Amino acid sequence: MKNFLLNMPTEIFFGKNQIEVLGKRLEKENVKSVLLAYGKGSIKKSGLYDKIISQLSGISVKITELPGIDPNPRISSVAKGAELCRENKVDFIIAAGAGSVIDCCKAIAAARYYSGDPWDFFIRRTSVKKALPICAILTLAATGSEMNGGCVLTNEETQEKLAMGSIRLKPKFSILDPTYTFTLPKNQTVAGIADIMSHVFEQYFSYPDAALQDYMSEAVLKTVIENAPVVVAEPENYEARANIMWAGTVALNGLLELGKDGDWATHMIEHELSAKYDITHGVGLAILTPNWMKHVLDGKNCCKFAKYGRNVWNITEKDDMKAALQAIEKTREFFNSIGLPQTLSEIGIDASKFDEMAESALKNTIVGTFKKLNKDDIVEIYRMSL
Ligand code: NZQ
Ligand code: ZN
């Protein structure tokens, strides 16, 4: 295990009715002016918007709203949000929604103190020196953005989708009420589940080995696999929603990657799909993941895939390579069983941009640490996914 630093400053208020802490918690921060950001309307339909307004009306705070943040959030919303923060002397941001809203708010929090183009953060032309504090009120279990310092934005002009992160962007506190996920349509619920599992895979299939992190990863996977069919069949099953929600947070709050170099290849090549075709992140991951696994599998690393198969899927096969192949098949079957697409063709994507996307993924970075991928590898994974 490598040396590591653990810093988890985000307070988590987990459970039913935790929204009731919002007003008091903001008062404690001495907040005078908030930016309330949300997506395309789900929080209004579910009644969460009214609950937030009721909390804010109980304290003396100015409210500026930023509605309409897109899934796969756009950098243009960041510039708009930063301007609203400056004009209204905003001193705290409330991100009410799923990963896209939270990510957009993190970028706004940083862009508020930067006079240049907010895209500069994503192309590493600048770094986050200062940021507004934010809180996340989560409505979809998927990204882990509610407890990490990362954000992923799309530049609609260049068709790039890039990530950046800073400890300064970790939410001050987050409210995780599983009942807010009852209203999710099935396709978003299952895409979130694929995203959570992919986050675990990206860290589990990486070097060096770290025993506790691996056991914790296997526990997160088992929790998700057990509870996924339940939330699909019974969207209002509180315990199952709660288990999935907490698994989503633990999957990407830093714990599973401590002392390791995460792989993240599947994410990088998925972000290319989302950038070019505006598809749902978790859907792209569900299609690519079993194919990434098959492509990188070799005689040296098959023991890790076999370990995953034995500990997560109870595979009894003694031969590592055979157990590894069975584990990959189990993964594909599981995604299929909860209703996720299995091929790019099913979601209307053909081979025409495979070369372009592979080049773009490799533009400024290495893709993959568990196995480093070159352009031919990435094109092959896309082709296997057709
Ligand atoms: O816009 P609204 O009306 O809110 O509807 C949203 C949106 O259409 C809807 N939704 C959310 N909660 C709902 C709901 N509908 C009904 N009831 C609810 N309770 O779901 C749709 C998808 O929302 P989105 O925010 O895009 O989903 P998700 O949380 O999966 O976020 C995906 C984004 O996060 C990035 C992805 O690349 C993608 O852009 N990621 C962020 C990461 C991070 N910050 O650490 C890591 C991830 O790997 C990922 O890359
Ligand atoms: Zn993800």
Side-chain angles (χ1 to χ4, degrees):
M1 204 187 316
K2 292 167 48 173
N3 292 2
F4 63 78
L5 166 73
L6 176 62
N7 187 335
M8 293 184 149
T10 307
E11 261 183 327
I12 298 289
F13 295 93
F14 189 97
K16 278 181 199 161
N17 302 322
Q18 289 284 26
I19 193 72
E20 286 163 16
V21 304
L22 181 64
K24 284 213 170 66
R25 194 60 190 74
L26 292 175
E27 263 185 335
K28 189 175 151 196
E29 297 289 327
N30 202 17
V31 172
K32 298 283 178 252
S33 173
V34 297
L35 181 75
L36 170 58
Y38 49 94
K40 300 279 197 191
S42 72
I43 69 158
K44 290 206 166 162
K45 273 193 223 139
S46 70
L48 173 58
Y49 174 85
D50 292 338
K51 288 179 186 158
I52 295 170
I53 294 297
S54 150
Q55 283 290 313
L56 297 180
S57 60
I59 57 174
S60 111
V61 68
K62 178 179 174 185
I63 307 169
T64 305
E65 295 198 17
L66 176 62
I69 294 172
D70 300 286
N72 296 324
R74 319 287 197 249
I75 199 71
S76 51
S77 310
V78 175
K80 191 173 150 196
E83 198 44 45
L84 282 175
C85 289
R86 286 187 206 105
E87 274 169 17
N88 296 284
K89 299 196 166 41
V90 164
D91 53 10
F92 202 96
I93 302 179
I94 300 175
S100 296
V101 172
I102 305 169
D103 283 8
C104 191
C105 287
K106 288 176 178 172
I108 292 169
R112 153 69 182 86
Y113 294 109
Y114 181 64
S115 54
D117 181 348
W119 194 241
D120 289 350
F121 290 109
F122 295 85
I123 53 171
R124 310 288 183 260
R125 193 169 281 161
T126 187
S127 59
V128 181
K129 315 260 177 353
K130 191 176 174 188
L132 281 168
I134 78 166
C135 82
I137 305 173
L138 187 66
T139 64
L140 198 175
T143 63
S145 192
E146 63 277 9
M147 203 178 167
N148 68 40
C151 59
V152 188
L153 270 284
T154 295
N155 184 323
E156 52 274 60
E157 275 173 28
T158 60
Q159 287 202 332
E160 287 171 293
K161 185 175 187 185
L162 297 175
M164 69 111 164
S166 163
I167 182 127
R168 298 189 169 99
L169 299 180
K170 291 193 178 187
K172 195 101 189 157
F173 65 97
S174 288
I175 295 175
L176 276 58
D177 182 338
T179 64
Y180 297 158
T181 63
F182 286 180
T183 54
L184 279 166
K186 184 187 160 195
N187 64 335
Q188 289 297 341
T189 296
V190 296
I193 285 165
D195 193 22
I196 295 168
M197 290 178 67
S198 173
H199 294 157
V200 181
F201 295 141
E202 301 277 20
Q203 300 164 95
Y204 184 82
F205 294 108
S206 73
Y207 299 112
D209 277 330
L212 178 61
Q213 288 82 323
D214 276 8
Y215 282 127
M216 285 165 60
S217 296
E218 288 161 5
V220 174
L221 289 170
K222 287 172 90 152
T223 303
V224 174
I225 290 163
E226 267 171 37
N227 286 278
V230 184
V231 294
V232 168
E234 304 165 39
E236 301 200 7
N237 183 313
Y238 181 83
E239 275 310 304
R241 286 288 194 188
N243 286 324
I244 296 276
M245 188 174 242
W246 185 230
T249 305
V250 174
L252 199 50
N253 67 359
L255 277 179
L256 306 185
E257 201 169 17
L258 292 175
K260 306 185 81 180
D261 291 319
D263 183 76
W264 299 107
T266 315
H267 266 68
M268 289 182 201
I269 62 183
E270 192 296 314
H271 285 162
E272 294 301 321
L273 292 172
S274 295
K276 300 281 183 305
Y277 296 98
D278 202 14
I279 63 163
T280 299
H281 175 60
V283 169
L285 292 170
I287 295 169
L288 293 172
T289 296
N291 296 308
W292 170 84
M293 289 178 166
K294 252 196 169 149
H295 182 78
V296 301
L297 176 69
D298 62 27
K300 205 170 132 241
N301 63 30
C302 65
C303 53
K304 191 69 190 261
F305 287 98
K307 175 176 161 178
Y308 157 61
R310 291 180 187 124
N311 293 352
V312 175
W313 293 108
N314 305 317
I315 288 170
T316 52
E317 170 61 54
K318 298 272 184 302
D319 177 80
D320 278 356
M321 183 54 88
K322 283 186 190 153
L325 287 166
Q326 286 178 22
I328 296 171
E329 208 36 49
K330 282 276 185 196
T331 311
R332 188 192 302 279
E333 280 167 13
F334 172 76
F335 286 147
N336 190 28
S337 74
I338 57 170
L340 283 154
Q342 289 195 82
T343 62
L344 293 174
S345 321
E346 282 171 70
I347 56 169
I349 295 177
D350 61 22
S352 57
K353 293 187 178 163
F354 286 177
D355 280 331
E356 188 190 331
M357 290 191 295
E359 278 162 22
S360 170
L362 287 160
K363 199 166 141 197
N364 299 311
T365 182
I366 287 168
V367 176
T369 58
F370 188 66
K371 193 170 242 181
K372 194 174 158 200
L373 303 182
N374 62 27
K375 184 183 164 190
D376 291 345
D377 293 314
I378 299 174
V379 170
E380 179 55 21
I381 293 167
Y382 285 139
R383 211 187 310 276
M384 290 163 78
S385 307
L386 254 182

